[in-house]
Amino acid sequence: MRLTSYKSILRDRRVFVDFLAILFGIGSWIGINSTFVQFPLLVALAPERWDLPSFIVVIIQLGNLGPLAYTLIQKYSPKKILDAHVIYGILGIGCMAALAMCFVYDITAYVAGMQRSVWLFVVVFFLALVGCSSSVLFMPYMGRFREIYLITYLIGEGLSGFLPSTLALIQGVGGNDQCVLRNTTDGGQEYELYTPPPRFGTAQFFAFVTTFMVVSLGAFVLLENLSVCKKEYAAVKIDRGNKYTYDESSKINESGEQLTLQEDSGFTNLSVTTYRALLVLMGIICMFGNGIFPSIQSYSCLPYGNIAYHLTVTLSSIANPLACFLAVFLPHTSIRMISILSSIATAIGVYAVATAVMSPSPPLLGNIGGEILVVLSWTVLNGLISYMKLSITTIFRQQGGKSLVWVGGVSQIGSFSGAILAFVLINNAELFTSYTPTCPATP
């Protein structure tokens, strides 16, 4: 019975198109996710040190200039611009930016009398341009295909975080800083700080990322041009700016009866108070999840060592797609459940912020229990944030109209506000303190 069901599912779709959709989705956020999982190595090289994540988070928010420019052009340009051509350009930029990262990630320049990772910032901006633009280009592009292929695209988007995290686990971070006894030129001995190297460096890491980006571009070329892919289009009229009008008459239920739009949508109307409360909650979640937490993570984890920071970053990135995957099987549109999860996330978030504020001497420092607790806390926190964002977005999708536009708007406002707030607190308020490990001068 189950085998027959699987055969029916496979017969109703083109697995080759599924495969291309997954590869296309990987190219959406892999550049930015790869930058995040490289933080444990980048902060050791960059002149910004522990402040580097706060700079990167702000630059990522600037990547929203891409979708803003696209929206304005689509609205006011007298000449129609094909979305496929824009996607070609965006993915091409992503390939070149990922390749450039292999060579410029550690090159610095003087800005206002200080050494800054200027070229790293420039490359991250272009990688962010790809990720932010994918929200208004990649997913809407998949709207021209049958609905089953949107799911496989989202699987690929989840893999854009899972793949670099897995690669980072293989790469490792080398180990924690050690004091090693060295011979001096005058015949004496002294301790020298030594950080074990990873299995391979950031340049090799982004060489893999470049390969993924090129494969994603190739997958899109095939999706756009192969006749076997075009045969999987939905009954849809494609208008300017990726606006689709679907033929609702083609929808039938399991009994073969035609569905009306209302019967198919399953709308659950929210009260005005609940509607606004969920929007505010979404803004707060994005403010912390996309702005504040990534900026202070280095202060929270690095006092426990490079390994703890490395595991926190990689496992947190894996928790994101895992939470979205679990949402397929678990109920995720219960407002009561969202409220409970937000309370749990708040408690864990308070602990995460407390460890960052108390740096360089957070609780249980030098204890293996402290390392396990901080890694576990950040991993669960990121999983809960991803699950709640997906849940709220799903609820608003059921409301129809401009609900998803409102969700997108408050998400971007929250993310940008959090990034700016964290940047000011870290770089001007002196609320967070880093430290540099030292060794005794003589044995």
Side-chain angles (χ1 to χ4, degrees), residues 379-390:
T379 303
V380 173
L381 179 61
N382 278 276
L384 289 174
I385 288 173
S386 300
Y387 193 87
M388 287 188 294
K389 287 195 294 186
L390 175 65

Side-chain angles (χ1 to χ4, degrees), residues 194-308:
Y194 171 72
T195 303
R199 293 183 179 89
F200 52 89
T202 298
Q204 291 76 20
F205 182 92
F206 273 96
F208 285 108
V209 175
T210 304
T211 303
F212 288 132
M213 286 297 304
V214 172
V215 169
S216 180
L217 174 58
F220 175 72
V221 172
L222 297 179
L223 279 173
E224 174 66 13
N225 294 283
L226 289 183
S227 59
V228 67
C229 298
K230 293 182 179 180
K231 289 179 181 178
E232 296 302 305
Y233 281 7
V236 58
K237 177 184 177 183
I238 305 174
D239 200 359
R240 184 175 182 176
N242 266 333
K243 295 179 180 178
Y244 305 128
T245 303
Y246 294 97
D247 181 8
E248 298 295 337
S249 63
S250 63
K251 295 186 177 181
I252 57 175
N253 62 18
E254 294 179 355
S255 301
E257 300 173 345
Q258 182 173 317
L259 292 172
T260 64
L261 179 60
Q262 186 173 358
E263 289 173 335
D264 182 59
S265 60
F267 286 179
T268 303
N269 291 325
L270 299 175
S271 67
V272 175
T273 302
T274 304
Y275 192 99
R276 292 175 178 173
L278 286 177
L279 281 178
V280 172
L281 179 60
M282 187 66 162
I284 294 174
I285 289 173
C286 290
M287 181 177 71
F288 281 91
N290 298 340
I292 295 177
F293 287 152
S295 300
I296 67 172
Q297 195 174 54
S298 57
Y299 289 91
S300 172
C301 302
L302 268 175
Y304 295 99
N306 296 334
I307 295 177

Side-chain angles (χ1 to χ4, degrees), residues 81-262:
I81 300 176
L82 295 178
D83 299 296
H85 293 171
V86 181
I87 295 176
Y88 280 134
I90 289 295
L91 285 174
I93 289 173
C95 293
M96 292 186 289
L99 180 62
M101 183 70 90
C102 300
F103 304 99
V104 304
Y105 69 92
D106 58 349
I107 298 178
T108 61
Y110 273 101
V111 177
M114 298 181 66
Q115 285 276 8
R116 293 295 183 191
S117 305
V118 176
W119 290 109
L120 174 64
F121 296 158
V122 171
V123 172
V124 168
F125 170 77
F126 285 109
L127 291 175
L129 204 63
V130 178
C132 295
S133 298
S134 69
S135 301
V136 297
L137 282 168
F138 292 14
M139 191 180 299
Y141 174 83
M142 292 304 299
R144 67 184 64 190
F145 290 88
R146 294 163 55 209
E147 187 177 356
I148 54 176
Y149 297 110
L150 178 60
I151 297 174
T152 49
Y153 166 82
L154 292 174
I155 292 174
E157 196 172 87
L159 288 175
S160 72
F162 181 81
L163 288 176
S165 299
T166 303
L167 185 61
L169 285 175
I170 297 172
Q171 177 191 29
V173 74
N176 295 325
D177 296 324
Q178 304 171 6
C179 290
V180 179
L181 197 59
R182 303 288 190 187
N183 294 325
T184 61
T185 55
D186 58 1
Q189 290 182 320
E190 65 179 8
Y191 284 109
E192 181 179 293
L193 195 65
Y194 171 72
T195 303
R199 293 183 179 89
F200 52 89
T202 298
Q204 291 76 20
F205 182 92
F206 273 96
F208 285 108
V209 175
T210 304
T211 303
F212 288 132
M213 286 297 304
V214 172
V215 169
S216 180
L217 174 58
F220 175 72
V221 172
L222 297 179
L223 279 173
E224 174 66 13
N225 294 283
L226 289 183
S227 59
V228 67
C229 298
K230 293 182 179 180
K231 289 179 181 178
E232 296 302 305
Y233 281 7
V236 58
K237 177 184 177 183
I238 305 174
D239 200 359
R240 184 175 182 176
N242 266 333
K243 295 179 180 178
Y244 305 128
T245 303
Y246 294 97
D247 181 8
E248 298 295 337
S249 63
S250 63
K251 295 186 177 181
I252 57 175
N253 62 18
E254 294 179 355
S255 301
E257 300 173 345
Q258 182 173 317
L259 292 172
T260 64
L261 179 60
Q262 186 173 358

